[in-house]
Amino acid sequence: IGDQAFQNCSAIEGALELPPKLTALGANAFDGCQNLTSIKINDKLERLTAYSFRDCSKVKTIYLANVSRIDDQAFNNCASLEKIAFNESLKTFGTNCFSGCSLLTTAGPVGSNSNVEFAWKTQIPANAFKGMSLVEVTLPNSIKIIGKEAFAFTTNLTNISLPENLEVIGQSAFERSGLVKLIIPFNVTDIQVRAFARSALRKAKLEPTSSITKIDLPDNAWFYGCSDKTRIYIDTSIMTNARDVFGDYWNYYSDTGALEYLTTENWTD
């Protein structure tokens, strides 16, 4: 099926089931097909190209079968979409694949009865939930890596419990998210640049750990651009080596002023 093959085609109504032998789908192929109500991807199609189902405003459910890659804004503004499952082989996402899907408000592992269910065991892929309307996310304790920009621009997400076995928080993983409070678990050893930059964060606690990545420049800081009212709580075991942990810009983590750093003994829920 070629680029723009059925773009803005109102004659296609109800359930769409792609042909079983289809192996390629062009950009904008079904973009703007506003009378579709469900989409079933066949087993042989592995990539959904950019804008392929954008603005399909009546689609409620999507079956992705063996899709391993979803390109930019493939399902952007599918405003009625209320259920989708990500298989374990789906590991490549473009930007804002599901932005504007306002009914996708919860995400969790398979069996969680969430709007978005995923089968990933150890890693949340880059861009996976970027720009989504999520308000609640459940991450299993087996997750060790949260990829680059995985939850960036999730402005409705105010709280998340990070799994106890988490080791890596990727670049800009929660940048411009709505997170207000966060506890970073003991096993995290790598927090990459701008992980929480310009988020709504007001309180963050770092549990004791010995090998957190050093931050060298203020523009790359974990909390860059957060409010100067943000409070960072750090265990006394690393507070004494704060400059080694946070680099030379210990007092410059906000573009409006220095954040306040307190020991974890002052933390209150």
Side-chain angles (χ1 to χ4, degrees):
I1 298 178
D3 294 351
Q4 304 174 6
F6 299 99
Q7 188 174 31
N8 297 322
C9 182
S10 59
I12 303 178
E13 300 178 345
L16 173 67
E17 185 171 345
L18 294 181
K21 295 183 179 180
L22 183 70
T23 58
L25 186 67
N28 301 84
F30 293 93
D31 180 11
C33 292
Q34 297 193 11
N35 289 323
L36 288 178
T37 57
S38 67
I39 299 168
K40 184 176 182 180
I41 307 299
N42 65 314
D43 291 340
K44 291 190 176 182
L45 188 63
E46 297 182 357
R47 177 181 179 181
L48 297 179
T49 50
Y51 317 110
S52 49
F53 294 97
R54 181 180 60 175
D55 291 330
C56 293
S57 58
K58 293 182 182 178
V59 168
K60 292 185 176 182
T61 59
I62 298 171
Y63 174 69
L64 292 177
N66 297 318
V67 171
S68 60
R69 173 174 173 169
I70 301 177
D71 288 349
D72 296 352
Q73 300 187 46
F75 296 98
N76 185 44
N77 289 331
C78 290
S80 299
L81 181 60
E82 55 189 16
K83 194 74 174 179
I84 192 167
F86 296 157
N87 60 66
E88 193 169 6
S89 62
L90 177 53
K91 296 180 179 179
T92 303
F93 290 83
T95 60
N96 299 316
C97 295
F98 294 90
S99 62
C101 299
S102 57
L103 298 183
L104 297 181
T105 59
T106 60
V110 172
S112 63
N113 199 33
S114 301
N115 300 121
V116 183
E117 295 191 356
F118 55 84
W120 306 308
K121 299 294 193 298
T122 60
Q123 181 171 347
I124 304 297
N127 294 319
F129 299 104
K130 184 176 181 178
M132 277 197 185
S133 301
L134 297 174
V135 298
E136 181 181 337
V137 174
T138 302
L139 297 178
N141 279 328
S142 59
I143 296 294
K144 295 184 176 181
I145 299 171
I146 296 177
K148 178 181 178 181
E149 299 187 24
F151 293 95
F153 294 88
T154 51
T155 55
N156 295 332
L157 184 65
T158 59
N159 185 43
I160 190 171
S161 294
L162 297 181
E164 61 184 23
N165 291 315
L166 185 66
E167 298 175 0
V168 179
I169 301 175
Q171 178 180 336
S172 300
F174 293 93
E175 184 163 359
R176 294 187 182 272
S177 71
L179 287 183
V180 174
K181 183 175 71 172
L182 184 70
I183 297 177
I184 299 173
F186 174 84
N187 288 310
V188 173
T189 57
D190 186 1
I191 303 177
Q192 297 177 5
V193 297
R194 302 176 72 91
F196 307 100
R198 302 192 185 280
S199 67
L201 204 61
R202 291 295 179 268
K203 294 175 63 176
K205 179 171 71 170
L206 281 72
E207 299 287 15
T209 188
S210 59
S211 54
I212 293 177
T213 300
K214 179 177 178 178
I215 300 300
D216 294 320
L217 296 173
D219 285 354
N220 290 336
W222 303 336
F223 305 107
Y224 178 74
C226 293
S227 168
D228 57 1
K229 295 180 174 62
T230 303
R231 303 293 178 257
I232 311 301
Y233 295 80
I234 305 171
D235 190 85
T236 52
S237 65
I238 61 172
M239 176 65 91
T240 55
N241 297 316
R243 291 188 181 277
D244 292 333
V245 174
F246 292 97
D248 295 333
Y249 294 92
W250 163 252
N251 286 320
Y252 188 55
Y253 270 72
S254 169
D255 52 2
T256 56
L259 308 187
E260 183 177 351
Y261 293 83
L262 304 167
T263 59
T264 51
E265 62 190 28
N266 294 308
W267 173 270
T268 58
D269 291 328

